[in-house]
Amino acid sequence: GFGTFTYQFEFFHSSLFSSMVDPSTYPVEVNLGEMIYFEIVATSPLPNTVLFVESCRATPYDDPNSYIFYSIIENG
């Protein structure tokens, strides 16, 4: 079926996922090779909706199509 959903993307300070990074400090800066902890939550009025994140990339600019990027998730 088709429908709409919204998602929330949050960063956390550690693998405990107990302390969220304050959005007012975005963009989050990390060093290459450093672990990052984030959560993606989707909400939808459609029952039994499942979110599958196929890819995720970080760029140094506010442009998802930037030629400079770092893959965080590839092929799910």
Side-chain angles (χ1 to χ4, degrees):
F2 291 91
T4 60
F5 69 91
T6 59
Y7 67 92
Q8 185 173 335
F9 194 98
E10 301 290 352
F11 288 92
F12 291 83
H13 290 284
S14 75
S15 62
L16 298 176
F17 291 91
S18 59
S19 177
M20 202 169 60
V21 173
D22 183 349
S24 69
T25 64
Y26 287 8
V28 175
E29 292 186 20
V30 295
N31 295 316
L32 284 176
E34 184 179 348
M35 292 293 293
I36 56 174
Y37 304 96
F38 60 92
E39 171 185 64
I40 302 171
V41 177
T43 55
S44 172
L46 301 171
N48 302 316
T49 302
V50 176
L51 171 69
F52 176 77
V53 180
E54 183 175 313
S55 64
C56 181
R57 59 171 46 178
T59 65
Y61 312 104
D62 190 15
D63 177 3
N65 299 313
S66 173
Y67 69 95
I68 299 174
F69 66 88
Y70 304 95
S71 290
I72 297 171
I73 298 173
E74 292 179 342
N75 301 318

